Amino acid sequence: MEKAKNEIITISFVVILFVFFIANIVKKDEDISKTERRKLAQFPNITVENVANGKASKELEKYTVDQFVFRDYFRSVKAIWSDYIFMQKDNNGLFLKDGNIYKIEYPLNENNVEKSANKIKYICDKYLNKNMNVYYSIIPDKNYYLDNDYLKIDVRDMQKIMQKTLLNIEYIDITGSLKLQDYYKTDLHWKQENLAEVVNVLENKMNMKNGEASEYKIQEIGNFYGTYYGQLGRKVEPDKINILTNNIIKKAKVYNYESEMTEEVYNMQKLKNSADKYD
């Protein structure tokens, strides 16, 4: 009985390996991953030089991982096991809390902050009039609004680094004008319809004359699966994406300088060219 059981397990294992082997051969390679929003590795260029220096084996490993059959399904299984079986706090730097997906951005990369400050200073010195009023602000990551049980970057630390370089540029603090609900659950960006308070702070600090306020209509255009949604590999409730629109925006036209025509004419031309192929 024990021998028969072992034989069944061995045969089943070999069959599974064989099925997946054939499935991966038959499966057509994909150029991009829609869920992860990135390009997928393609079959490497096998040459004597690439084999000798190890480049071919590294590229082949990336290719097999990216093009594996049912890859998204196995990513979801891994994410669930990480959360509920191994009780890990994050999965590849991402974690889910109260329906919101977060990405760990810690510790602060001080060199990148210094580079950003130097670029801003370079633009100001080269292109802006010295008598101009110049301001800068730092957009906090949504992790900033989590409680202190989570590792997060303090905007004040970034500001201290930047102010060493941007001595003559006024800093506008907007951290108090945002809250967690102003960010998408599945993405790192703000919601367009929730930024009125931030705009008011910027206007007041920059002494901008607030003329007749424009009226906008909030228009829902569908579900939004943000960047973090695909990277996490878990099924969560998507965001609803809204846009602000009014008659002025509706009448606006986009001009494509490369094609030297408006976007509307450009799209019509593309449709015509596509139709001509089938005539």
Side-chain angles (χ1 to χ4, degrees):
M1 191 69 173
E2 186 70 21
K3 181 180 178 182
K5 185 177 73 172
N6 291 335
E7 288 178 350
I8 292 172
I9 293 174
T10 302
I11 293 172
S12 299
F13 179 71
V14 172
V15 169
I16 291 173
L17 287 179
F18 180 76
V19 169
F20 273 95
F21 175 73
I22 296 299
N24 279 289
I25 293 176
V26 174
K27 175 182 173 290
K28 183 180 178 181
D29 291 346
E30 298 178 0
D31 294 327
I32 62 171
S33 169
K34 292 182 179 179
T35 55
E36 297 175 85
R37 298 187 180 185
R38 68 177 181 88
K39 291 183 178 180
L40 296 175
Q42 302 300 306
F43 192 81
N45 182 25
I46 305 297
T47 63
V48 175
E49 182 181 358
N50 287 346
V51 172
N53 60 26
K55 183 179 178 181
S57 61
K58 291 179 180 179
E59 291 181 350
L60 185 61
E61 182 179 354
K62 293 179 181 178
Y63 166 77
T64 53
V65 170
D66 275 7
Q67 301 293 346
F68 194 80
V69 67
F70 302 134
R71 183 172 180 276
D72 285 340
Y73 171 77
F74 286 114
R75 287 180 61 248
S76 297
V77 171
K78 175 184 177 296
I80 292 172
W81 272 71
S82 296
D83 287 348
Y84 296 109
I85 305 300
F86 298 121
M87 304 299 289
Q88 295 178 341
K89 286 192 174 182
D90 70 278
N91 178 34
N92 295 327
L94 294 160
F95 62 93
L96 183 65
K97 175 178 168 58
D98 300 329
N100 282 274
I101 306 174
Y102 301 88
K103 184 175 183 179
I104 298 175
E105 300 285 357
Y106 189 88
L108 177 64
N109 189 323
E110 297 186 3
N111 288 332
N112 283 347
V113 178
E114 291 174 358
K115 288 179 182 178
S116 298
N118 287 326
K119 287 181 180 179
I120 294 173
K121 185 177 184 303
Y122 171 79
I123 292 172
C124 292
D125 293 343
K126 186 173 180 64
Y127 298 106
L128 302 184
N129 190 307
K130 292 183 179 180
N131 296 322
M132 293 179 66
N133 295 321
V134 184
Y135 309 83
Y136 77 98
S137 189
I138 300 174
I139 303 173
D141 184 81
K142 70 178 181 180
N143 295 28
Y144 180 80
Y145 298 98
L146 285 170
D147 55 50
N148 292 327
D149 292 335
Y150 295 88
L151 293 173
K152 54 187 179 181
I153 294 173
D154 194 330
V155 174
R156 291 171 295 184
D157 294 335
M158 297 179 66
Q159 199 269 325
K160 288 177 182 177
I161 297 172
M162 297 192 76
Q163 71 179 3
K164 294 177 183 178
T165 302
L166 307 178
L167 298 174
N168 299 319
I169 303 178
E170 184 177 347
Y171 171 68
I172 301 178
D173 186 0
I174 61 171
T175 54
S177 304
L178 285 164
K179 52 186 179 299
L180 186 58
Q181 292 75 17
D182 294 328
Y183 295 80
Y184 288 108
K185 293 181 179 180
T186 62
D187 201 79
L188 69 162
H189 292 98
W190 302 346
K191 296 177 182 177
Q192 188 183 59
E193 66 272 23
N194 288 10
L195 300 184
E197 190 174 345
V198 173
V199 172
N200 289 336
V201 169
L202 295 174
E203 284 182 340
N204 292 333
K205 290 291 185 179
M206 297 168 68
N207 297 316
M208 295 176 63
K209 292 182 179 180
N210 186 9
E212 185 178 349
S214 299
E215 293 185 0
Y216 297 93
K217 180 182 178 182
I218 298 177
Q219 179 181 340
E220 183 180 313
I221 60 174
N223 290 335
F224 175 56
Y225 298 87
T227 301
Y228 295 161
Y229 181 90
Q231 293 176 355
L232 181 67
R234 291 276 304 278
K235 298 294 183 182
V236 299
E237 192 72 21
D239 288 289
K240 297 293 183 183
I241 189 165
N242 298 307
I243 60 171
L244 301 181
T245 185
N246 57 24
N247 290 332
I248 297 175
I249 294 175
K250 289 179 179 179
K251 293 177 181 179
K253 292 185 178 181
V254 178
Y255 185 82
N256 190 322
Y257 276 90
E258 290 183 345
S259 62
E260 296 184 342
M261 60 183 72
T262 63
E263 197 69 17
E264 183 180 5
V265 175
Y266 177 70
N267 289 333
M268 291 294 293
Q269 187 66 42
K270 282 179 64 178
L271 287 173
K272 182 179 181 303
N273 293 339
S274 178
D276 289 342
K277 291 181 180 179
Y278 297 96
D279 287 346

